[in-house]
Amino acid sequence: MGEPVPRLGLRPLWSDPDSLARRQLAAYENSGRTDLADALRPLAQAPTATWFTGDAPRERARALTTAAAAAGALPVLVAYDVPGRDCGSFSAGGAADEDAYLAWVGELAAGIGDRPAVVVLEPDAVAAAVTGCRDLDARARLALLRRAVGVLTALPATHVYLDAGHPGWVRDLPALAGALRAAGVDRAAGFALNVSNVQPTDATVAYGRRLSRLLGGARFVVDTSRNGAGAPVATGRVEDWCNPPGRRIGRVPSTLTGVDVVDAWLWVKRPGESDGSCRPGEPAAGEWFEEYALALVGV
């Protein structure tokens, strides 16, 4: 007997042909810098998620999912526009209020339509509601996410994973499980772990298993984009999570995980794109960071 069909199906994950990493790879190739091109190629050609923030998302989501469907591939989208996003830190922003957010989610859903897609919903939003951040009404945040889950799961071929932070953040798993239930994880495909973080895969899976048991066997996906060297020693400083030095790319994205409760290894964070202007001279969040990208592949 062969391997069972993955929960997300047999389609390969979508690799954006116009990503910033692909553009950098092309620039190296065109300039004859074959050593750097060869080093960067595994990062540049891997499937990565596409992040959707404040701009009107409908047409962009339609173009992405249409291109992926035509290629027989499964795109991963990140919905990242919740009010009070990132607790006002380097990726601060988000919709102006709840009504604006739900309208935005509706536009994203309209763009996806009936085409297959994975949506990782609101990195950090649930974990921040558990640990607290300034001016955040946790109950209202979780209720809003539940409504967003309802909009997206009404689509016929969309798999929604609620972000749940990472093992280095929320230690109180019963509290996290309760927050995920309030946010609608029971209606979703499951939850996501380690988004934009660097916790080791084995530790993250163990953490996810414990959380899954508290949620009645919920399944999950793991961001492996930058965890190939594991997590740095925690210092409590911004270096722990914002363009953390000494990291490497991790497991290649795949829906064939070999782990019973893990639906996929994903590169949710696009490696090589900055977490933010964490230190002088570093690019803003989402911009290409050439030096950091090369460090992730050992250059």
Side-chain angles (χ1 to χ4, degrees):
M1 296 179 62
E3 291 293 321
V5 175
R7 286 285 293 268
L8 295 178
L10 292 172
R11 291 169 177 255
L13 294 166
W14 169 249
S15 181
D16 181 1
D18 193 40
S19 69
L20 297 180
R22 289 279 189 121
R23 294 181 192 180
Q24 182 69 78
L25 175 62
Y28 286 152
E29 291 174 333
N30 292 338
S31 64
R33 303 179 72 181
T34 56
D35 54 339
L36 295 183
D38 290 344
L40 189 66
R41 191 168 289 109
L43 182 157
Q45 294 184 341
T48 54
T50 301
W51 290 61
F52 287 76
T53 55
D55 53 332
R58 183 191 293 230
E59 291 308 317
R60 186 166 168 239
R62 177 180 289 121
L64 171 67
T65 55
T66 298
L74 180 66
V76 179
L77 293 73
V78 184
Y80 194 49
D81 202 45
V82 73
R85 189 179 67 204
D86 198 28
C87 290
S89 189
F90 293 105
S91 295
D97 54 33
E98 292 188 357
D99 289 342
Y101 180 64
L102 291 173
W104 183 88
V105 171
E107 287 290 299
L108 179 66
I112 296 170
D114 60 0
R115 292 172 290 277
V118 169
V119 175
V120 175
L121 184 60
E122 296 301 342
D124 299 346
V126 172
V130 174
T131 59
C133 70
R134 187 179 59 190
D135 300 327
L136 175 64
D137 181 335
R139 182 174 296 182
R141 158 73 62 84
L142 298 175
L144 181 61
L145 291 173
R146 188 174 189 88
R147 294 177 70 182
V149 169
V151 171
L152 292 165
T153 57
L155 300 174
T158 294
H159 307 267
V160 179
Y161 294 88
L162 262 169
D163 186 68
H166 58 79
W169 188 352
V170 181
R171 305 292 185 180
D172 187 344
L173 285 180
L176 180 56
L180 286 165
R181 282 192 292 269
V185 73
D186 55 309
R187 304 168 67 182
F191 57 92
L193 291 174
N194 205 41
V195 169
S196 296
N197 208 265
V198 295
Q199 303 298 314
T201 298
D202 289 349
T204 303
V205 170
Y207 180 89
R209 284 188 185 279
R210 295 195 297 273
L211 184 56
S212 173
R213 287 194 290 269
L214 292 172
L215 293 169
R219 302 175 68 82
F220 58 97
V221 296
V222 177
D223 186 350
T224 59
S225 58
R226 299 186 298 178
N227 71 350
V233 175
T235 65
R237 298 194 300 268
V238 70
E239 287 82 2
D240 292 352
W241 60 269
C242 194
N243 300 326
R247 302 309 96 206
R248 296 289 185 271
I249 55 173
R251 296 190 188 190
V252 174
S254 177
T255 59
L256 298 170
T257 68
V259 181
D260 55 352
V261 291
V262 179
D263 283 345
W265 314 123
L266 300 176
W267 283 10
V268 183
K269 168 66 182 179
R270 295 164 74 100
E273 296 183 12
S274 179
D275 290 316
S277 304
C278 326
R279 288 165 288 276
E282 293 186 347
E287 293 184 4
W288 182 248
F289 192 173
E290 180 181 3
E291 179 184 356
Y292 194 76
L294 291 173
L296 287 172
V297 293
V299 175

